[in-house]
């Protein structure tokens, strides 16, 4: 069942009444029609509150719609500069710029006003992030340890284990694993067809361990599943939601003493990193992960530089004679 939509949060906007009404209408639109998460709406509301407070000081009075329409790229840059001087990091500034762009696009779409000042702005450069995989032993423990409550049904335990093994054993995104239907269950075939981002399909190998885990889950599952039904279901027979697996891993993380980066997506990172460490080539890993570009896959080379140096020393003809 869908969660009820929270009303747009209330903020103290230092702006003229018509601008306050426009901001509130936009936040309400995000909640009711775009179904943006409450936390994101809260953050965007804070961003607009800070922006309106800046404009009051910058312009000398509370800004209304007429003033918003006349803002230039220099005005927006001044706001970002003031936030930077207040200690805001690049990710915060990037989100605030995104919030402003979304707000002004909404004003243009609803024929309230049009402002081209934001078009000339470039977002701040973000620090290059590197995936944080789990160790081989940590990934294995995450997939096999049983920390469920005593009253948890055996079929639920089997279901959760099957999902985790598919995430790690096949490098699936959580949405890909939970998007599988009963007809997709890898029981006899050695491969699995996955529907990934952009509705692109790819074929991934399935380990015998993963096939056995899925088979055990289906043998125990008390809910009859037709070919077109979801493969992984909750206790009410509906498609399993990602939040259930996220909470499961959070519980396992605490019980097993694993690092904070132990998440469902970390199992996908671990899949790629462990393959690379064992000698798999980047092109193969790219195909298995479903990356459109090899440059996306190359980020895993930064995770395991030691392995790359070792392979270089083994393969380069001059390295062998040094």
């Amino acid at each position: 069942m869908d969660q009820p939509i929270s009303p747009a949060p209330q903020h103290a906007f230092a702006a003229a009444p018509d601008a306050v009404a426009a901001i509130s209408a936009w936040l309400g639109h995000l909640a009711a029609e775009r179904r943006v998460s409450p936390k994101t709406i809260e953050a965007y509301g804070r961003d607009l509150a800070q922006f309106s407070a800046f404009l009051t000081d910058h312009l000398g009075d509370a800004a209304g719609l007429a003033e918003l329409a006349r803002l230039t790229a220099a005005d927006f840059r001044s706001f970002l500069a003031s936030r930077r001087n207040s200690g805001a990091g690049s990710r915060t500034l990037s989100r605030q710029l995104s919030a402003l762009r979304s707000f002004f696009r909404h004003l243009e779409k609803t024929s309230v006003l049009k402002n081209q000042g934001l078009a000339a702005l470039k977002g701040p450069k973000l620090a290059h992030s590197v995936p944080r995989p789990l160790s081989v032993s940590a990934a294995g423990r995450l997939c096999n340890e049983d920390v469920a409550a005593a009253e948890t049904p055996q079929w639920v335990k089997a279901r959760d284990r099957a999902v985790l093994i598919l995430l790690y054993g096949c490098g699936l995104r959580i949405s890909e694993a939970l998007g599988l239907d009963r007809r997709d269950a890898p029981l006899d075939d050695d491969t699995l067809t996955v529907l990934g981002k952009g509705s692109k399909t790819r074929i991934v190998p399935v380990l015998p361990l993963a096939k056995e885990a899925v088979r055990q889950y289906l043998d125990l599952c008390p809910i009859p599943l037709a070919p077109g039904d979801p493969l992984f279901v909750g206790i009410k027979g509906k498609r399993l939601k990602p939040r259930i697996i996220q909470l499961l891993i959070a519980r396992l993380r605490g019980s097993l003493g694993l690092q904070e980066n132990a998440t469902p997506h970390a199992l996908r990172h671990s899949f790629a990193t462990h393959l690379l460490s064992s000698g798999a080539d980047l092109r193969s890993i790219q195909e298995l992960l479903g990356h459109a570009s090899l440059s996306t896959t190359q980020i895993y080379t930064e995770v395991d530089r030691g392995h790359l140096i070792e392979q270089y020393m083994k393969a380069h003809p001059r390295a062998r004679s040094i």
Side-chain angles (χ1 to χ4, degrees), residues 154-197:
Q154 288 299 318
W155 76 269
V156 171
K157 295 180 182 180
R159 177 201 68 191
D160 294 346
R161 181 171 181 267
V163 172
L164 295 182
I165 289 177
L166 283 179
L167 295 180
Y168 177 48
C170 299
L172 304 187
R173 301 177 178 92
I174 189 170
S175 59
E176 294 170 345
L178 301 188
L180 295 171
D181 289 335
R182 172 61 181 84
R183 64 167 64 93
D184 303 319
L187 299 177
D188 301 315
D189 295 336
D190 293 329
T191 59
L192 174 65
T193 301
V194 179
L195 182 64
K197 283 186 175 181

Side-chain angles (χ1 to χ4, degrees), residues 107-298:
L107 294 180
E108 183 174 350
K109 287 181 180 179
T110 53
S111 301
V112 175
L113 63 85
K114 187 174 182 178
N115 185 305
Q116 297 296 325
L118 282 166
L121 267 66
K122 292 183 178 179
K125 291 185 177 180
L126 299 179
H128 183 59
S129 61
V130 176
R132 298 176 60 196
L134 305 174
S135 66
V136 174
S137 61
R141 291 167 64 202
L142 198 61
C143 292
N144 291 298
E145 292 287 340
D146 180 8
V147 297
E151 63 272 15
T152 302
Q154 288 299 318
W155 76 269
V156 171
K157 295 180 182 180
R159 177 201 68 191
D160 294 346
R161 181 171 181 267
V163 172
L164 295 182
I165 289 177
L166 283 179
L167 295 180
Y168 177 48
C170 299
L172 304 187
R173 301 177 178 92
I174 189 170
S175 59
E176 294 170 345
L178 301 188
L180 295 171
D181 289 335
R182 172 61 181 84
R183 64 167 64 93
D184 303 319
L187 299 177
D188 301 315
D189 295 336
D190 293 329
T191 59
L192 174 65
T193 301
V194 179
L195 182 64
K197 283 186 175 181
S199 298
K200 294 181 179 179
T201 59
R202 69 181 188 278
I203 297 175
V204 297
V206 182
L207 298 171
L209 176 66
K211 292 195 290 184
E212 180 56 34
V214 174
R215 181 178 291 107
Q216 183 179 20
Y217 154 64
L218 289 175
D219 288 344
L220 294 173
C221 183
I223 301 170
L225 299 176
D229 289 339
L231 173 58
F232 296 111
V233 296
I235 57 175
K236 295 184 178 179
K238 302 295 184 181
R239 189 179 297 275
L240 192 64
K241 294 184 179 299
R243 184 60 178 161
I244 300 298
I245 302 301
Q246 291 164 352
L247 290 173
L248 166 68
I249 291 186
R251 187 168 65 250
L252 286 165
R253 189 169 60 224
S255 300
L256 301 176
L258 300 178
Q259 58 266 47
E260 286 298 312
N261 66 305
T263 64
H265 206 65
L267 288 172
R268 175 172 159 89
H269 290 326
S270 303
F271 165 84
T273 305
H274 298 165
L275 282 179
L276 181 63
S277 298
S278 298
D281 64 273
L282 280 176
R283 282 290 182 189
S284 298
I285 296 174
Q286 176 192 2
E287 291 295 325
L288 293 172
L289 292 175
H291 287 162
S293 170
L294 184 62
S295 62
T296 306
T297 314
Q298 284 175 330

